[in-house]
């Protein structure tokens, strides 16, 4: 699947994309803040360098940087349809006077370098047929989203239309394992459970279509509500209430799972995933995505996340595997969670340092956890003091905006 925030540092990982939503503060602080804006709120003054009118920071103008005629035509058509102001320039040099004051920066895939000391582009735009190179370029440039046109036209129209909305939605937190059996799904469930206990509107999303169905770990396969195959044809915009009212609930939080059955599920197109996750972001304060480790999941769901937690056992081989996986993640701010016993609290900082990641906690190694997952009893384990301490500490770091 193809997909899409603290200012990025050398060790933090930016954000990516596919065809997806926007960021903004809620009960849990974002990992990435928008660049500072200054200047008057209205009026225009000449730019001393270019002679062009100075644009106020809240002008809402969308800046398109591309010399590609087809990309420009596609984007201009979309912008006109939603009634947003679009300014087009052919290269980064021409974009420099307007780069940091534009509400959104759209960058064509023909542009390979960014102006120095400027924020990352909001969306990298490419055309169908560019393949994996588009995602690699998006990661290299630190783009917040990637959109493939014309397939992503509906998403881009909605994204541009929402750019004027002061409340862009909740935090999307991805959880993935640095190696097989790391405990990422367990961590995701316990984090969702603890967030719900604290009154945070939470959605747990199963982002691994080959994972067997996260609902089985919750013993909720019979809970009424929609699963991913029911949303395979989703397009355009889904109302936030419409989505939240249609999803099953377990442990006090909503969840969206792949079916826990042996029947082959129909493929869900990237556009449908984007539409659903956009609605999820707008309707929930916290969206936790159990990403999985497959290429399909990492190439899609991971790019929708504002932050990612990488879960790894306190073992040498796991640390090596996690280092390799890091190279496949989009440039999203990423932190480490070490799984282990009390002694792992000492190993954790060493593993985190070797990976160049901040340590966000130690996932407790509880006897019987694997059996509990098989029997759908993870929510019972989630009530234990050690689990709640772990989950609460991670959520507190998110709320404090730690990187």
């Amino acid at each position: 699947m193809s997909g899409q925030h603290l200012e990025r540092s050398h060790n933090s990982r930016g954000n990516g994309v596919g065809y997806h939503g926007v960021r903004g503060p809620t009960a849990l602080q974002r990992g990435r803040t928008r660049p500072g804006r200054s200047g008057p709120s209205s009026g225009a003054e000449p730019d001393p360098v270019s002679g062009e009118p100075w644009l106020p920071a809240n002008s809402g103008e969308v800046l398109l940087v591309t010399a590609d005629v087809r990309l420009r035509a596609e984007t201009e058509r979309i912008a006109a349809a939603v009634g947003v102001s679009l300014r087009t320039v052919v290269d980064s040099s021409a974009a420099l006077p307007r780069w940091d004051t534009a509400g959104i920066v759209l960058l064509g895939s023909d542009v390979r370098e960014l102006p120095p000391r400027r924020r990352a582009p909001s969306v990298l735009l490419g055309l169908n047929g560019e393949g994996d190179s588009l995602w690699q370029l998006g990661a290299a440039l630190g783009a917040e989203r990637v959109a493939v046109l014309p397939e992503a036209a509906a998403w881009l129209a909605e994204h541009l239309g929402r750019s004027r909305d002061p409340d862009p939605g909740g935090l999307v937190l991805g959880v993935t394992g640095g190696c097989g059996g790391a405990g990422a799904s367990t961590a995701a469930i316990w984090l969702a459970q603890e967030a719900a206990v604290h009154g945070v509107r939470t959605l747990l999303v199963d982002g691994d279509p080959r994972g067997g169905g996260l609902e089985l770990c919750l013993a909720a396969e019979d809970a009424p509500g929609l699963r991913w195959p029911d949303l395979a044809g989703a397009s355009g915009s889904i109302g936030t209430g419409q989505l939240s009212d249609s999803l099953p609930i377990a442990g006090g939080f909503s969840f969206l799972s792949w079916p826990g059955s042996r029947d082959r599920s129909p493929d869900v197109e990237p556009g449908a995933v984007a539409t659903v996750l956009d609605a999820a972001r707008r309707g929930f304060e916290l969206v936790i995505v159990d990403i999985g480790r497959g290429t399909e999941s990492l190439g899609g769901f991971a790019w929708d996340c504002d932050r990612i937690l990488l879960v790894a056992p306190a073992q040498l081989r796991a640390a090596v595997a996690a280092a390799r996986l890091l190279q496949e993640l989009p440039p999203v701010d990423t932190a480490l969670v070490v799984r282990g016993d009390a002694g792992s609290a000492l190993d954790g900082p060493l593993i985190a340092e070797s990976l160049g990641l901040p340590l966000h906690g130690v996932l407790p190694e509880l006897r019987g956890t694997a059996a509990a997952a098989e029997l759908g009893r993870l929510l019972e384990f989630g009530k234990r003091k050690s689990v709640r301490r772990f989950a609460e500490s991670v959520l507190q770091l998110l709320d404090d905006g730690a990187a």
Side-chain angles (χ1 to χ4, degrees):
M1 289 188 182
S2 56
Q4 9 141 338
H5 280 22
L6 274 144
E7 291 295 334
R8 299 175 182 121
S9 64
H10 177 70
N11 286 331
S12 65
R13 308 181 64 84
N15 194 23
V17 212
Y19 323 159
H20 315 34
V22 235
R23 278 63 173 157
T26 64
L28 294 170
Q29 296 296 321
R30 293 304 162 277
R32 177 182 185 276
T33 57
R34 293 189 179 277
R37 308 283 177 87
S38 60
S41 59
S42 62
E45 299 174 0
D47 181 272
V49 177
S50 66
E52 293 285 336
W54 178 85
L55 294 177
N58 62 351
S59 66
E61 181 182 64
V62 176
L63 178 65
L64 171 63
V65 187
T66 185
D68 188 295
V69 175
R70 184 180 168 194
L71 266 181
R72 176 172 178 166
E74 288 279 356
T75 309
E76 287 178 342
R77 175 180 62 82
I78 294 168
V82 295
V84 301
S85 173
L86 182 68
R87 170 84 61 168
T88 303
V89 296
V90 296
D91 56 35
S92 297
S93 298
L96 191 59
R98 303 174 183 278
W99 191 283
D100 282 338
T101 57
I104 289 180
V105 177
L106 306 176
L107 191 70
S109 58
D110 57 305
V111 180
R112 298 288 166 153
E113 294 184 1
L114 303 182
R117 297 182 298 279
R118 290 300 188 268
R119 81 185 205 241
S122 306
V123 183
L124 175 68
L125 299 176
L127 294 170
N128 187 27
E130 293 190 56
D132 292 342
S133 63
L134 186 62
W135 306 105
Q136 295 167 2
L137 179 60
L141 298 177
E144 297 177 10
R145 305 280 195 288
V146 173
V148 182
L149 298 178
E151 287 83 352
W155 172 82
L156 184 59
E158 187 175 355
H159 181 65
L160 295 180
R162 285 202 314 272
S163 65
R164 296 166 290 191
D165 188 346
D167 182 15
L171 173 72
V172 178
L173 174 68
V175 184
T176 188
C179 63
S185 296
T186 299
I189 289 172
W190 287 346
L191 288 171
Q193 184 177 13
E194 186 65 19
V197 167
H198 288 274
V200 178
R201 295 194 310 277
T202 303
L203 170 63
L204 176 65
V205 175
D206 185 353
D208 185 2
R210 305 292 180 259
L214 195 62
E215 62 185 13
L216 295 178
C217 299
L218 305 172
E221 57 269 29
D222 294 327
L226 300 181
R227 270 57 172 183
W228 271 117
D230 300 315
L231 298 167
S235 62
S237 178
I238 298 177
T240 56
Q242 179 185 6
L243 178 65
S244 60
D245 291 345
S246 302
L247 294 176
I249 296 175
F253 54 87
S254 300
F255 69 90
L256 175 57
S257 177
W258 295 92
S261 69
R262 296 183 181 182
D263 298 333
R264 177 178 172 81
S265 298
D267 293 333
V268 179
E269 294 299 320
V273 172
T275 296
V276 171
L277 291 181
D278 274 346
R281 182 188 294 280
R282 298 194 309 273
F284 294 88
E285 293 173 284
L286 176 62
V287 180
I288 299 177
V289 183
D290 180 18
I291 299 172
R293 301 182 69 254
T295 301
E296 185 176 9
S297 300
L298 292 174
F301 286 92
W303 284 83
D304 282 288
C305 300
D306 300 310
R307 295 190 188 179
I308 290 177
L309 291 180
L310 181 63
V311 182
Q315 302 167 359
L316 176 60
R317 289 182 61 192
V320 172
R324 293 173 180 167
L325 185 73
L326 273 175
Q327 306 308 312
E328 300 182 42
L329 293 179
V332 177
D333 288 303
T334 302
L336 176 69
V337 168
V338 170
R339 193 198 81 209
D341 54 24
S344 302
L346 300 177
D347 298 330
L350 296 177
I351 297 173
E353 183 179 3
S354 71
L355 295 174
L357 297 176
L359 179 64
H360 263 24
V362 177
L363 179 68
E365 186 88 72
L366 300 179
R367 179 181 298 179
T369 301
E374 286 292 312
L375 298 172
R377 297 178 55 200
L378 280 182
L379 293 176
E380 295 179 30
F381 276 50
K383 298 176 183 179
R384 297 189 179 187
K385 290 183 179 180
S386 60
V387 173
R388 295 200 61 189
R389 282 196 300 267
F390 154 75
E392 190 169 10
S393 66
V394 172
L395 294 173
Q396 185 60 55
L397 285 170
L398 294 174
D399 202 32
D400 292 342

